[in-house]
Amino acid sequence: MLLMILKDVAVLSAIGVSLATVMVIAGRWLSNYGECKIDINGKREVTITGGTSLLSSLSDKQIFLPSACGGRGSCGACKCKVISGGGPLLPTEKPLLSKEEIAEGNIRLACQVKVKSDVKIEIPSSIFNIRRFHATIAEIIDLTYDIKEITFKFAEGEKIDFLAGQYVQLESEPYNKVKERVTRAYSISSKPEINDALQLIIRYVPEGICTTWVHKHLKVGDKVSLTGPYGDFYLRDTQADIIFVAGGSGKAPIKSILEHLQVTGTSRRMTYFFGARTPKDLYLTEEMKALEQVFSEFKYEPVLSAAKPEDKWTGKTGYVMPYFAETIRDPKNTEAYLCGSPGMINAVQKALIENGIPTDKIYYDSFG
Ligand SMILES: Cc1cc2nc3c(=O)[nH]c(=O)nc-3n(C[C@H](O)[C@H](O)[C@H](O)COP(=O)(O)OP(=O)(O)OC[C@H]3O[C@@H](n4cnc5c(N)ncnc54)[C@H](O)[C@@H]3O)c2cc1C
Ligand code: FES
């Protein structure tokens, strides 16, 4: 009897193993798309092994599309034109495309499109200036309890050419139970005049993959990889008045812009509102205040939303929006540069429009 049961178990196990083997082989066969060609702008062609996303296929060929969310389909930064070979639009793409983009029919998210055959795409030529950099961590400074400033020194001979306000994408290393490498966007906080190194200001996000690596694992001397520069958040070359608004680590790109203006000089009228909760969320305050003596018309205004009486805070309180009316002199001739959480950006944008600032003069990088 026991022998018969054992025999049945052995037969069933053998069938199970055979089925699993057939499924693995079939899976490999079905997802074996062989060599595929990607035609870029009708001017360049790269050959890749099919089966992975358009985003990573291009990145393997050192062509780096912006991908702030690291390919999770949540930022929309990797949009590009797929002229042919992209297959049907996927449900994961639709929420990030506008009605017009969907109607156009060929705007796609490169992180969601899988390359299964030859593909024709169109991307801006500026993408070809984005490169991979190898760097060593030169310094890590605590700016607050949850914000660090990291200095990256590039390998011998590597230099970055960027506009103040742009960002890079940092690649994290595996640690503890996190086995994957992720890439995340971080605005450059140092000025473009320094090109053999750069600084980032990174706020810790509890449970965040990349920020936990940066805050709990990254050490001086570690080697890291990043790509860039990306983005269209940079100072427009006009004489318009400026309102800067930042919260948390959103200070990073504005610091870069202000340090750059220190080098070039400017007589533009500038007001910088920095929104934070309590005094312990403020940082680089003296450095920003000192700029009031450097520029002819510059004011730095930290605004605290949750200061307690024991903080003895004598500066502005509440949210930054109510202070716009007294600051804006000539709304049609004012540009606004905003950086921080999506919630803050939306609220500030609405208030600026109510104060008469034209929508096309409001520039922002949303850190969401
Ligand atoms: C253009 C751009 C520039 C950026 N520049 C900076 C910068 O200079 N400094 C900086 O610190 N960050 C910056 N960010 C945000 C950064 O790219 C990451 O999103 C952030 O550091 C979290 O990454 P993570 O891997 O640690 O968290 P994830 O593992 O991606 O996320 C973990 C969880 O936290 C949530 N989450 C993600 N980001 C945030 C956030 N910022 N606040 C609260 N919750 C969040 C996610 O929804 C998720 O639930 C920028 C983002 C963009 C798009
Ligand atoms: S990389 Fe973020 S949506 Fe594609």
Side-chain angles (χ1 to χ4, degrees), residues 123-350:
I123 56 176
S125 56
S126 57
I127 297 283
F128 296 112
N129 297 332
I130 299 167
R131 292 176 33 216
R132 181 176 295 285
F133 294 89
H134 302 92
T136 305
I137 303 301
E139 197 175 27
I140 302 179
I141 295 175
D142 285 318
L143 294 177
T144 71
Y145 63 100
D146 69 348
I147 296 182
K148 286 185 193 290
E149 180 184 67
I150 326 275
T151 305
F152 300 75
K153 180 89 179 88
F154 294 139
E156 192 64 36
E158 287 191 19
K159 294 201 185 316
I160 188 164
D161 186 13
F162 68 97
L163 296 171
Q166 287 191 296
Y167 69 92
V168 290
Q169 291 197 179
L170 179 63
E171 190 173 294
S172 70
E173 291 293 325
Y175 58 90
N176 297 351
K177 285 185 184 157
V178 179
K179 303 289 174 236
E180 51 177 333
R181 287 189 162 80
V182 298
T183 53
R184 297 284 185 265
Y186 294 102
S187 306
I188 305 170
S189 63
S190 47
K191 59 187 167 194
E193 286 71 20
I194 301 170
N195 60 7
D196 60 351
L198 59 78
Q199 287 178 321
L200 304 179
I201 289 177
I202 300 185
R203 190 174 73 85
Y204 175 61
V205 173
E207 313 278 310
I209 298 180
C210 190
T211 56
T212 302
W213 170 67
V214 167
H215 276 252
K216 316 265 187 221
H217 299 272
L218 198 63
K219 308 181 298 301
V220 168
D222 283 355
K223 307 263 186 243
V224 299
S225 168
L226 44 89
T227 58
Y230 300 92
D232 50 14
F233 184 76
Y234 54 82
L235 189 68
R236 272 42 182 189
D237 187 15
T238 70
Q239 283 310 308
D241 291 352
I242 300 174
I243 291 194
F244 295 112
V245 185
S249 51
K251 184 169 266 176
I254 294 169
K255 173 175 170 288
S256 176
I257 291 173
L258 289 169
E259 288 183 358
H260 171 62
L261 287 176
Q262 251 186 296
V263 177
T264 59
T266 185
S267 56
R268 291 175 75 170
R269 184 171 174 269
M270 304 184 282
T271 314
Y272 180 0
F273 291 101
F274 181 69
R277 280 178 52 73
T278 68
K280 69 185 177 82
D281 298 301
L282 295 176
Y283 60 98
L284 299 176
T285 307
E286 279 173 24
E287 288 80 350
M288 294 295 126
K289 272 275 169 206
L291 294 179
E292 292 181 350
Q293 309 307 316
V294 172
F295 300 117
S296 54
E297 277 199 273
F298 175 75
K299 194 103 186 76
Y300 179 64
E301 299 278 18
V303 184
L304 295 186
S305 62
K308 297 194 184 93
E310 57 267 34
D311 292 329
K312 299 192 172 29
W313 174 251
T314 54
K316 291 189 160 49
T317 54
Y319 291 113
V320 294
M321 290 78 86
Y323 299 104
F324 294 160
E326 68 195 47
T327 307
I328 298 166
R329 189 174 56 177
D330 175 6
K332 298 282 171 270
N333 186 37
T334 302
E335 290 168 2
Y337 294 85
L338 330 174
C339 219
S341 70
M344 183 278 264
I345 302 272
N346 286 343
V348 167
Q349 204 177 6
K350 190 167 166 275

Side-chain angles (χ1 to χ4, degrees), residues 55 66-79 96 109-112:
L55 182 73
S67 55
C69 70
R72 290 181 296 183
S74 62
C75 71
C78 64
K79 278 178 200 171
L96 288 163
L109 296 186
C111 67
Q112 302 299 304

